[in-house]
Amino acid sequence: MSRNSLTLDPFNSSANSGLEPVSSRWNRFKNSFKPAQEDDPEFGSNVFVSKLQIKVDDEELTDLQRAAIKSSKTQLSSQLSLRHLLMIAIGATIGTGLFVNSGAALNTGGPASLIIGWCIVATMIYPTLMALAELCVAFPVTGGFITHATRFVDPSFGFAMGWCYAVQWIVALPLTLVAAAITIRYWRQDINSDVWVAVFYVFIFLLNMLHVRHFGETEVFFGVVKLLAIAGFFILGIVMICGGGPQGGYIGGEYWHDPGAFANGFKGVCSVFVTAAFSFAGSEVIGMTAAETEDPRQTIPAATKRTFWVITLSYTIILILIGCLVPWNEPRLTTGDSYAAVSPFVISIKNAGIKGLPSLMNVIILFAILSVANSSVYATSRVLSSLADIGFAPSFLGYIDRTGRPLYANLVTFFFGLIAFVAASDKQSEVFVWLLAMTALSTIFAWVGICGAHIRFRLALKQQGRTVNELTYVAPYGIYGSTYGIIMNFVVVMGQFWVALFPGSKADAKAFFEIFLSLVLFIVLYFGHKIYKRNWKIWIRLSEVDIDTGRKHFDIELLKQEIIYENERVAASPWWYRLYKVLC
């Protein structure tokens, strides 16, 4: 038989189906771990890589200039679309905070405090995310807001904020793996928790070894499951409030009168306010995806707006229902050996006498936890990679392979994930209390960094004789929105200070340091960097701020015509579509 006749052999499946031979697929898999190539037609690279002719190792460059150039020469795969960004942010944000911890917040503050706390915090998060969108559209660089804070505020601030943020997500992986193992206890308490930790560890590892686009698709799946669960509970909650459950009658607003709308007075409101602030942690992850986005100008603003509305409406609507379905003095909100046992969702379903649904709700909680674990690996690896790019971490962490994975940063992330195997230890709680203590305020540092970088960027534009007319996306509230964001973040810290120092009627030093140890870590990193670099400037002079390196350049005149056309099209649309375009 001739060699060519093999292509006609009906038993040669690879020839007839057009599929690659196994050996070819295996070679492709092996080659995917090789370093990314700037001009590789298969794997690609960001459009501005080939346009930067400056050498990073030029001795005449300062550390800050070198960092700006290197962060703009990313070789991460730019294949994330709008739905990927939206679901990654939702995956990082909506988890046990909504499905489990909302019960503890209800017990602490009462149903009215839930609504007040989340609505006030929402007014802070919106301008923060809009400022982030403006910066990421103009500078879609690796590291997102960490790089922005380093370039526009101060390298020492960027160093401290970046490492605090990295530690936050490093801790998140083992914590969520343990949480997933605890969730299984609802069905099986006889199996060692470390068995489930191992299963989930391998599962998350395999997901993050996929191409970035495939990773995005898994986040879409997790996100859709959570959104369907929220929509389903919304309908079920209304039915239960109206007395449609097998047990119990009409509830209405009964629990707002007895035991009441507030618990623990003003201190309860402050406690819920702080809890609400941290429930939005993860929404800023969109800033870490800028360098991997297909079309930052269109995608990032839409993703940030929709992320905000999805998260805000999900929390607000569901918490209103929870406040009507479960009294704040319900003892089961604080006692139980699994997440389902203390989840207000499960408690309300059990109170209505609905069988089967508590187990389904526990499955959804498990999916939510695994989604956060998946997002935590993504966030950690991108943060570590970006810290390496700007010279704040060992250079090997900046290694990007041909599929756009920060390979070594991923492996380091999973190395720290092994901490999860303390799940079977009786010291588990103590270990995680102090690990979380190092990260308690990290999100606040990140939000302040975003707002601060935005203010400094706008001031630098003005100082250097430039205007916002050259920006392709402008945050609607400008400097005023970012200033409000910083002020509200300090209000959150002050509220956290009061609640942490006086968790009861007397001061408690242990409870205080469980929250404010992260501030100590930030201060040590900040001044440690200043001493090492001998940089005693509080911030970079506005005249010295680099507002060009890494900028995403467009044909401004052509862009203006596109914007005019888009505005005319929207103006001719129905009112509801115009409102939708403003909000989303």
Side-chain angles (χ1 to χ4, degrees):
M1 182 182 292
S2 68
R3 185 171 184 178
N4 290 335
S5 67
L6 288 174
T7 59
L8 301 178
D9 186 352
F11 298 101
N12 189 343
S13 58
S14 64
N16 286 278
S17 64
L19 298 177
E20 291 180 293
V22 174
S23 60
S24 177
R25 291 199 299 271
W26 172 247
N27 288 332
R28 180 178 170 83
F29 173 73
K30 288 192 300 181
N31 290 337
S32 72
F33 293 97
K34 293 181 179 180
Q37 300 173 4
E38 291 187 1
D39 300 318
D40 193 317
E42 181 175 0
F43 296 101
S45 59
N46 263 348
V47 296
F48 44 73
V49 171
S50 60
K51 295 180 181 179
L52 287 170
Q53 302 299 326
I54 306 173
K55 293 183 178 180
V56 180
D57 57 356
D58 194 325
E59 294 181 358
E60 296 181 1
L61 296 176
T62 65
D63 290 343
L64 197 58
Q65 291 171 328
R66 194 174 290 110
I69 295 168
K70 194 169 183 181
S71 65
S72 66
K73 296 179 66 176
T74 180
Q75 292 176 329
L76 293 169
S77 179
S78 303
Q79 296 191 31
L80 294 179
S81 64
L82 173 59
R83 62 195 180 90
H84 295 141
L85 265 64
L86 180 62
M87 292 305 180
I88 287 173
I90 290 174
T93 308
I94 298 180
T96 55
L98 175 62
F99 293 109
V100 180
N101 297 340
S102 57
L106 174 64
N107 179 260
T108 301
S113 296
L114 292 182
I115 309 307
I116 293 171
W118 261 268
C119 288
I120 292 176
V121 170
T123 66
M124 172 187 77
I125 297 300
Y126 186 76
T128 301
L129 290 181
M130 294 305 99
L132 177 63
E134 180 181 306
L135 291 172
C136 287
V137 170
F139 300 91
V141 296
T142 58
F145 52 84
I146 296 174
T147 303
H148 301 150
T150 301
R151 291 177 55 176
F152 304 141
V153 182
D154 174 60
S156 298
F157 179 83
F159 176 82
M161 183 192 76
W163 272 108
C164 284
Y165 194 70
V167 171
Q168 170 187 319
W169 286 111
I170 286 173
V171 172
L173 176 60
L175 182 66
T176 49
L177 291 175
V178 171
I182 292 174
T183 305
I184 301 294
R185 290 181 187 173
Y186 185 77
W187 298 294
R188 297 292 301 269
Q189 297 188 20
D190 57 325
I191 300 178
N192 190 299
S193 295
D194 280 349
V195 173
W196 296 112
V197 167
V199 171
F200 297 134
Y201 183 95
V202 172
F203 175 65
I204 298 298
F205 178 83
L206 292 176
L207 287 182
N208 281 272
M209 286 297 105
L210 299 174
H211 190 284
V212 66
R213 176 171 285 276
H214 298 148
F215 166 85
E217 294 299 338
T218 63
E219 280 301 291
V220 170
F221 171 74
F222 282 133
V224 168
V225 169
K226 285 190 280 191
L227 293 179
L228 288 177
I230 291 170
F233 187 81
F234 171 71
I235 297 171
L236 178 64
I238 293 176
V239 172
M240 291 189 294
I241 290 172
C242 295
Q247 297 177 6
Y250 175 78
I251 300 174
E254 177 184 345
Y255 296 139
W256 282 64
H257 299 284
D258 182 22
F262 293 94
N264 301 313
F266 181 68
K267 188 173 183 179
V269 176
C270 286
S271 179
V272 171
F273 174 68
V274 171
T275 302
F278 291 105
S279 72
F280 282 89
S283 56
E284 74 288 339
V285 168
I286 287 179
M288 305 306 298
T289 67
E292 299 177 79
T293 305
E294 288 178 340
D295 182 6
R297 186 179 77 84
Q298 296 286 350
T299 304
I300 292 177
T304 50
K305 290 179 182 179
R306 293 177 193 180
T307 296
F308 169 79
W309 288 113
V310 169
I311 294 171
T312 301
L313 293 177
S314 295
Y315 270 102
T316 305
I317 293 174
I318 295 302
L319 291 178
I320 290 174
L321 295 177
I322 289 297
C324 292
L325 289 168
V326 182
W328 61 260
N329 59 356
E330 167 63 60
R332 286 175 292 177
L333 290 174
T334 56
T335 58
D337 58 0
S338 69
Y339 284 117
V342 298
S343 169
F345 290 72
V346 174
I347 291 172
S348 62
I349 293 171
K350 285 184 174 180
N351 287 346
I354 303 175
K355 297 181 179 180
L357 278 184
S359 286
L360 176 61
M361 201 67 233
N362 199 49
V363 172
I364 293 168
I365 292 172
L366 179 60
F367 270 107
I369 292 171
L370 292 177
S371 176
V372 175
N374 201 31
S375 294
S376 71
V377 177
Y378 177 90
T380 306
S381 61
R382 270 58 181 182
V383 172
L384 292 176
S385 176
S386 66
L387 289 173
D389 283 344
I390 56 183
F392 290 164
S395 59
F396 77 91
L397 292 175
Y399 179 92
I400 307 296
D401 68 20
R402 290 194 179 185
T403 60
R405 294 172 301 215
L407 187 62
Y408 293 148
N410 265 344
L411 295 177
V412 168
T413 302
F414 279 103
F415 173 76
F416 283 102
L418 294 174
I419 297 172
F421 286 95
V422 303
S425 169
D426 57 358
K427 298 293 184 180
Q428 173 209 131
S429 298
E430 186 175 343
V431 169
F432 280 108
V433 160
W434 291 108
L435 284 175
L436 288 172
M438 293 192 296
T439 69
L441 298 177
S442 298
T443 301
I444 300 297
F445 301 148
W447 291 341
V448 169
I450 291 168
C451 293
H454 181 241
I455 292 172
R456 296 281 299 168
F457 171 62
R458 286 289 193 93
L459 293 176
L461 275 177
K462 185 177 180 180
Q463 174 72 19
Q464 298 179 28
R466 314 273 282 273
T467 69
V468 295
N469 291 332
E470 64 185 71
L471 302 179
T472 55
Y473 176 76
V474 178
Y477 301 107
I479 287 179
Y480 298 105
S482 294
T483 303
Y484 173 75
I486 290 177
I487 292 171
M488 290 302 295
N489 273 295
F490 277 109
V491 171
V492 171
V493 172
M494 291 301 100
Q496 184 76 307
F497 182 88
W498 184 30
V499 172
L501 187 59
F502 297 97
S505 58
K506 296 181 180 180
D508 187 334
K510 182 176 181 291
F512 177 79
F513 281 105
E514 285 177 0
I515 301 297
F516 279 85
L517 183 62
S518 56
L519 180 59
V520 175
L521 176 63
F522 180 88
I523 292 172
V524 169
L525 290 170
Y526 178 81
F527 284 104
H529 186 269
K530 285 207 169 292
I531 293 171
Y532 180 74
K533 290 293 184 179
R534 298 180 181 178
N535 168 31
W536 301 109
K537 295 179 181 178
I538 298 177
W539 49 62
I540 304 168
R541 292 180 181 177
L542 293 176
S543 59
E544 298 175 358
V545 171
D546 182 357
I547 56 176
D548 289 307
T549 303
R551 284 278 291 275
K552 188 80 169 179
H553 295 291
F554 297 89
D555 185 330
I556 298 297
E557 294 304 319
L558 178 60
L559 182 61
K560 286 181 179 178
Q561 292 299 319
E562 290 180 4
I563 293 174
I564 291 173
Y565 173 77
E566 176 66 16
N567 290 340
E568 290 175 350
R569 186 181 68 82
V570 173
S573 303
W575 68 267
W576 57 267
Y577 183 76
R578 296 198 300 273
L579 179 63
Y580 169 79
K581 292 298 291 183
V582 170
L583 297 177
C584 302

